[in-house]
């Protein structure tokens, strides 16, 4: 009789979870943030070097980048500047550089937010994870609101 309609649900995206790129060389911090962000519904892509991070930023199209400034192969400030040449992806700095001057330089280079790494107790790590998740969600919300536009004709 009639032909069946094609199943269009197959074309739907595999995962609607927002993609976060974490560029961080410390495995302990990567594991911690992986658990914290996965628990909040984000999909984490990890890069241990600046070069890996730049490739992942260009090819994986994350919604947001969490970036350590002190990487083994390049300074995080250079990564910010290079990403800003072609993208407005929100960038949150997560760094042990906690001086006010360091924050200003990173924000002037194009970062959207700055979280100083706490060191010490488990409570400090949990607070850092909560703060990163909060700022990540806020940055993602700002980015999605700023990308919305309505044209009436």
């Amino acid at each position: 009789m009639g032909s069946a309609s094609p199943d269009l649900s197959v074309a739907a995206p595999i995962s609607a979870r927002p993609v976060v790129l974490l560029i961080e060389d410390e495995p302990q911090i990567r594991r911690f943030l992986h658990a914290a962000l996965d628990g909040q519904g984000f999909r984490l892509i990890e890069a241990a070097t600046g070069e890996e991070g730049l490739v992942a930023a260009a090819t994986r199209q994350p919604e947001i980048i969490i970036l350590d400034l002190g990487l083994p192969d390049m300074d995080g400030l250079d990564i910010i500047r290079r990403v800003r040449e072609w993208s407005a992806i929100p960038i949150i700095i997560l760094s042990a550089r906690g001086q006010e001057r360091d924050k200003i330089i990173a924000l002037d280079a194009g970062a959207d937010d700055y979280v100083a790494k706490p060191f010490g107790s488990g409570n400090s790590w949990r607070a850092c994870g909560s703060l990163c998740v909060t700022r990540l969600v806020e940055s993602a919300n700002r980015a999605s609101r700023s990308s919305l536009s309505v044209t009436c004709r």
Side-chain angles (χ1 to χ4, degrees):
M1 303 230 167
S3 63
S5 303
D7 181 6
L8 300 178
S9 64
V10 176
I14 294 172
S15 173
R17 294 171 40 170
V19 176
V20 176
L21 170 59
L22 173 62
I23 307 173
E24 168 64 61
D25 62 322
E26 295 183 42
Q28 179 184 6
I29 294 174
R30 287 197 315 266
R31 280 191 303 272
F32 173 77
L33 286 176
H34 183 86
L37 295 172
D38 189 57
Q40 295 293 321
F42 295 96
R43 188 166 57 101
L44 188 67
I45 298 169
E46 299 177 22
T49 67
E51 281 301 322
E52 289 175 10
L54 287 169
V55 169
T59 60
R60 306 295 292 275
Q61 301 177 341
E63 277 79 18
I64 196 159
I65 297 172
I66 299 176
L67 172 65
D68 180 15
L69 294 179
L71 297 166
D73 60 336
M74 67 176 56
D75 191 280
L77 294 172
D78 294 328
I79 295 170
I80 296 169
R81 291 181 188 111
R82 288 178 61 183
V83 168
R84 286 295 174 249
E85 291 174 0
W86 55 269
S87 176
I89 298 169
I91 299 173
I92 297 176
I93 300 301
L94 180 62
S95 181
R97 300 178 194 172
Q99 300 293 325
E100 193 66 25
R101 179 179 57 84
D102 295 319
K103 294 176 185 178
I104 292 168
I105 291 169
L107 294 170
D108 284 348
D112 296 283
D113 208 343
Y114 196 106
V115 177
K117 285 182 186 174
F119 296 98
S121 71
N123 286 337
S124 295
W125 283 108
R126 280 191 288 284
C128 174
S130 296
L131 183 58
C132 283
V133 168
T134 299
R135 289 189 179 176
L136 178 60
V137 170
E138 289 170 356
S139 294
N141 286 339
R142 279 195 305 271
S144 67
R145 282 194 303 270
S146 66
S147 66
L148 294 176
S149 63
V150 177
T151 305
C152 299
R153 294 181 186 225

